[in-house]
């Protein structure tokens, strides 16, 4: 039912045609796979929520090929522009005021007056956005609350039969979702992600505080329990308890490791794949333990995702 499309001209044309027909297509970005639908179509966007089983108060990110296309739907303030110039195309999402009369379904913004926009760097995402020629709403291509997909087969594990196609671009290079920032007038970090906070701070020239908490989510990534594997998760562990699957980092060795070299970029790119593997190894009712990860660079985003994976389930 869900067809896998090859990463070539025919696959891209097919994917763009399905989007134009209001259907759902998962596609690779440098962060994670997105579940794409035409952001102008209420029906397509409603199908995204339905396929993910996502609570409808969580708005979606609109994907566009460049800053000019973003400016057609949103107002780009001075700090947002500086960040866009520094990090687009790339793993940064900006929350911007929606332009009056912008052709974006209100289901995308969940009724907010702002819209989250992102210009992905992945060549297949770029090719698809240009072939389709319109805004593409795309959350991560996983059932709501579960681990994000960084390979086409992860998408099929969660959504096979619920979407028309997946464009197979192999593993995602960054492996963590985009960093979400509300830039103007006062910059706020809404979700740590693929662009390290230190890099944003260097461009803005001021410290960037993480806003919000799990109790009052403005971002589903801010829900306390999110990115959840089946197994229970314990963090900051150097020695596993009996029956736990230990995921190592650096000098802490485990059954699996995020990065034996202690490299945070490598660890980020493996995180969601390793969560899935550890979940399988742990088995029903099992437990996963993670070695400590430093709270710098991409480590902040990794720890953010791990804390949510470890949070009590609602
Ligand atoms: O890397 C990524 O960002 C991936 C790829 C596919 O682009 N997408 C992704 O989407 O992670 P999703 O839906 O899983 O997360 C989108 C986040 C949510 O946390 C949502 O609440 C937030 O963006 N968001 C969307 N619109 C917003 C708005 N107007 N204000 C605040 N947050 C918003
Ligand atoms: Mg997600």
């Amino acid at each position: 039912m869900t067809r896998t499309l090859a990463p070539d001209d025919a696959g891209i044309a097919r994917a763009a045609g399905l989007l134009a027909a209001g259907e759902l297509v998962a596609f690779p970005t440098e962060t994670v796979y997105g579940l794409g639908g035409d952001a102008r179509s209420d029906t397509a966007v409603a199908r995204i929520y339905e396929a993910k089983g996502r609570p409808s108060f969580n708005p979606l990110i609109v994907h566009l090929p460049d800053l000019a296309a973003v400016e057609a739907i949103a107002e780009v303030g001075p700090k947002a522009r500086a960040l866009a110039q520094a990090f687009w195309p790339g793993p940064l999402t900006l929350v911007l005021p929606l332009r009056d009369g912008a052709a974006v379904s209100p289901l995308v913004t969940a009724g907010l007056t702002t819209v989250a926009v992102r210009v992905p760097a992945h060549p297949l995402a770029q090719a698809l956005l240009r072939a389709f020629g319109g805004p593409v709403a795309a959350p991560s291509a996983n059932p709501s609350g579960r681990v994000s997909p960084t390979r086409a087969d992860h998408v099929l594990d969660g959504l096979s039969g619920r979407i028309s196609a997946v464009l197979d671009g192999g593993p995602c290079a960054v492996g963590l979702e985009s960093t979400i920032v509300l830039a103007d007038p006062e910059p706020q970090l809404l979700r740590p992600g693929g662009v390290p906070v230190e890099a944003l701070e260097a461009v803005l020239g001021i410290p960037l505080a993480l806003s919000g908490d799990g109790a009052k989510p403005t971002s589903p990534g801010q829900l306390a329990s999110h990115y959840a594997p089946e197994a229970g998760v314990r963090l900051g562990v150097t020695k596993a308890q009996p029956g736990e699957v230990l995921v190592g980092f650096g000098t802490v060795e485990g059954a699996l490791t995020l990065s034996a070299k202690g490299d945070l970029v490598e660890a980020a790119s493996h995180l969601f794949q390793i969560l899935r593997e550890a979940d399988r190894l742990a088995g029903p009712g099992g437990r996963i333990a993670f070695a400590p990860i430093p709270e710098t660079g991409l480590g902040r985003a990794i720890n953010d995702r791990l804390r949510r994976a470890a949070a009590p389930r609602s």
Side-chain angles (χ1 to χ4, degrees):
M1 279 227 358
T2 299
R3 98 170 43 90
T4 300
L5 300 174
D8 55 19
D9 289 351
I12 290 160
R14 188 70 210 241
L18 288 168
L19 288 176
E23 302 206 20
L24 304 185
V25 179
F27 63 97
T29 79
E30 67 278 26
T31 58
V32 300
Y33 276 72
L35 173 54
D38 184 345
R40 300 165 297 198
S41 159
D42 292 338
T43 315
V45 178
R47 283 181 176 155
I48 294 177
Y49 285 111
E50 185 190 48
K52 277 187 70 89
R54 163 175 272 198
S56 55
F57 55 79
N58 289 332
L60 305 177
I61 297 175
V62 175
H63 295 65
L64 293 155
D66 52 36
L67 179 58
V70 168
E71 288 186 287
I73 67 161
E75 290 164 25
V76 181
K79 296 192 185 83
R81 187 172 302 279
L83 293 176
Q85 279 162 357
F87 300 110
W88 277 352
L92 173 69
T93 293
L94 293 171
V95 173
L96 303 171
L98 188 64
R99 234 179 238 299
D100 278 345
V104 172
S105 164
L107 287 175
V108 168
T109 55
L112 299 173
T113 57
T114 53
V115 62
V117 290
R118 163 155 142 69
V119 174
H122 196 293
L124 280 173
Q126 278 285 330
L128 178 60
L129 290 170
R130 288 176 198 279
F132 174 58
V136 173
S140 49
N142 53 290
S144 189
R146 312 309 302 191
V147 178
S148 292
T150 53
R151 302 179 184 203
D153 58 291
H154 298 167
V155 174
L156 292 172
D157 281 349
L159 297 175
S160 184
R162 307 179 68 89
I163 63 175
S164 293
V166 54
L167 186 58
D168 188 351
C172 301
V174 176
L176 283 175
E177 298 88 343
S178 60
T179 304
I180 306 182
V181 175
L182 190 157
D184 298 288
E186 296 304 324
Q188 289 175 40
L189 178 66
L190 300 183
R191 177 178 75 184
V195 175
V197 175
E198 294 89 335
L200 297 164
E201 290 175 335
V203 169
L204 292 168
I206 50 168
L208 199 52
L210 181 60
S211 86
D213 58 48
K216 268 181 70 186
T218 53
S219 211
Q222 294 177 355
L223 290 170
S225 170
H226 200 69
Y227 309 101
E230 303 286 340
V233 176
R234 201 160 67 93
L235 306 180
V237 175
T238 51
K239 204 168 178 311
Q241 287 167 1
E244 271 181 338
V245 173
L246 178 62
V247 179
F249 177 81
T251 54
V252 178
E253 284 177 36
L256 303 166
T257 182
L258 284 174
S259 169
K261 294 183 290 197
D263 177 344
L264 290 167
V265 173
E266 181 181 52
S269 74
H270 292 163
L271 177 63
F272 291 138
Q273 168 68 19
I274 294 260
L275 261 172
R276 282 165 197 269
E277 281 175 26
D279 215 10
R280 255 191 305 269
L281 282 178
R287 299 198 56 85
I288 308 170
F290 276 86
I293 308 292
E295 189 74 11
T296 56
L298 289 181
R300 283 184 64 169
I302 295 170
N303 283 323
D304 172 81
R305 303 304 187 271
L306 287 178
R307 279 191 292 271
R308 291 171 206 285
R313 316 288 158 76
S314 47

